[in-house]
Amino acid sequence: MDKVDIIIPAYKPDRRFLTLIERLEHQSVPINRIIVMNTEQKYFDRLLYGTSFQKDYQNVVVKHISKREFDHGKTRNKGVQLSDADYFIMMTDDAVPADDYMVEELLDQLHQDQVAVAYARQLAGEGSSEVEKYTRNFNYPGESSVKTKADLETLGIKTFFCSNVCAAYNREIFDTLGGFVKHTIFNEDMIYAAKAVEAGYGIAYTAQAKVYHSHNYNCREQFHRNFDLGVSQAQHPEVFAAYPAESEGIRMVRQTAGHLRKLNLRRQIPYLILQSGFKYMGYLFGRHYQALPVKVVVAMSSNKEYWR
């Protein structure tokens, strides 16, 4: 039987984290260990106060680090180093499996020859806006696929698209390729996927493996998030320079607006355009962060510790 570990970076986890752990315990494929790389112990202890978490989930290993120590790539690599499983699944602390077969479906994809990564479909959670629901369906459709180097001409940057919200990795291939980039503000998953594609491996999008994961970000939050996205792309031109993402973003906005019109939700379109403007401005500033004063860069970033 496959030996699989789950690795979860956590920061200020809420009740969804407890639901995540509970659902992982009932997967059709047994989990060997759940390794939690937690940033700032006080927030974790606050969530678990008065619970029997440690008694109930003895296969959960928690490693605490400070906010200053956290890095999207390095912290995940440290989690992998604590695992001796043949396969591991990266998740975030706010992603919740939709059923008991998420792990099984992801591992089935990794059993295909030359597949390095298999990532799950993300469904909008309860209370999500219509825009968020449509965006999730746009980025995570109902059809599975395996993307390879042969798809670069037609898919462009979407060939590398992968999300560590829920993604399973072949450990042998992961080690061969050197793991995640060791210092990055964002996009460690896509940077790794690009490296895997260039090395001749496939990236499997697994629509049958489903997690609930969504956010109703406001304009300010979208700006900060997309600033970091732009920074990561500027720092890795070997991945992103040849495949601009702007056209895909424009297509998504147009299709989302059309969707709102069909539902007679035209009043939401101005906010969609405003929010998209903030996203694009953040992205543009991020792509050109090197021309900005350091204080401005820190103010625009959502990951201020990265710059210190």
Side-chain angles (χ1 to χ4, degrees), residues 19-71:
T19 304
L20 162 61
I21 300 298
E22 176 64 20
R23 293 197 182 179
L24 288 176
E25 291 295 317
H26 292 91
Q27 290 292 300
S28 58
V29 174
I31 307 300
N32 178 51
R33 287 195 300 167
I34 300 172
I35 300 168
V36 181
M37 301 297 294
N38 178 69
T39 300
E40 299 296 343
Q41 183 172 353
K42 61 183 178 181
Y43 300 117
F44 196 81
D45 290 347
R46 185 182 302 167
L47 175 66
L48 300 187
Y49 181 77
T51 72
S52 55
F53 183 88
Q54 291 180 316
K55 178 182 177 182
D56 294 340
Y57 305 111
Q58 296 188 16
N59 65 332
V60 176
V61 177
V62 182
K63 297 295 181 182
H64 297 291
I65 62 173
S66 68
K67 194 172 181 181
R68 185 175 292 272
E69 292 175 281
F70 175 80
D71 180 272

Side-chain angles (χ1 to χ4, degrees), residues 69-282:
E69 292 175 281
F70 175 80
D71 180 272
H72 281 284
K74 181 178 70 175
T75 299
R76 286 177 168 85
N77 282 335
K78 286 184 175 181
V80 175
Q81 291 167 9
L82 296 173
S83 169
D84 62 356
D86 301 315
Y87 304 96
F88 63 88
I89 298 176
M90 285 288 163
M91 297 191 73
T92 54
D93 61 22
D94 58 350
V96 177
D99 55 38
D100 295 341
Y101 302 98
M102 180 202 79
V103 172
E104 181 179 337
E105 295 287 357
L106 290 172
L107 292 184
D108 282 349
Q109 291 295 308
L110 287 184
H111 290 155
Q112 295 187 56
D113 188 39
Q114 296 295 96
V115 170
V117 191
Y119 67 101
R121 185 181 188 188
Q122 295 181 32
L123 306 174
E126 186 177 351
S128 296
S129 68
E130 191 60 40
V131 169
E132 180 68 5
K133 291 176 184 177
Y134 188 82
T135 300
R136 291 292 152 184
N137 284 327
F138 182 91
N139 288 323
Y140 303 93
E143 303 79 32
S144 297
S145 62
V146 178
K147 300 171 291 184
T148 67
K149 201 170 185 177
D151 295 304
L152 282 170
E153 187 173 341
T154 54
L155 293 180
I157 199 169
K158 293 205 79 171
T159 309
F160 307 140
F161 187 74
C162 178
S163 175
N164 270 343
V165 164
C166 183
Y169 292 80
N170 180 308
R171 176 65 183 273
E172 183 178 359
I173 296 174
F174 184 84
D175 288 344
T176 299
L177 294 178
F180 297 119
V181 59
K182 295 176 177 60
H183 184 51
T184 183
I185 193 169
F186 205 61
N187 267 341
E188 80 293 332
D189 37 21
M190 284 187 67
I191 295 167
Y192 176 83
K195 185 164 49 175
V197 167
E198 290 296 333
Y201 296 104
I203 309 300
Y205 168 58
T206 313
Q208 295 82 9
K210 300 181 287 291
V211 293
Y212 290 108
H213 178 262
S214 54
H215 297 282
N216 289 323
Y217 289 126
N218 60 34
C219 290
R220 184 168 178 261
E221 291 168 330
Q222 292 283 16
F223 179 93
H224 290 310
R225 179 176 173 82
N226 280 268
F227 179 84
D228 290 350
L229 173 66
V231 169
S232 72
Q233 293 195 10
Q235 291 179 339
H236 293 277
E238 76 283 3
V239 175
F240 299 104
Y243 307 101
E246 288 92 334
S247 59
E248 188 67 13
I250 293 170
R251 186 169 75 90
M252 185 175 71
V253 173
R254 286 176 175 169
Q255 291 191 13
T256 306
H259 175 72
L260 293 174
R261 279 193 290 269
K262 286 180 182 178
L263 296 182
N264 200 26
L265 296 173
R266 290 177 174 82
R267 291 184 178 181
Q268 294 186 23
I269 294 176
Y271 184 73
L272 166 68
I273 295 171
L274 177 66
Q275 188 181 61
S276 300
F278 271 86
K279 290 168 70 173
Y280 188 57
M281 283 192 298

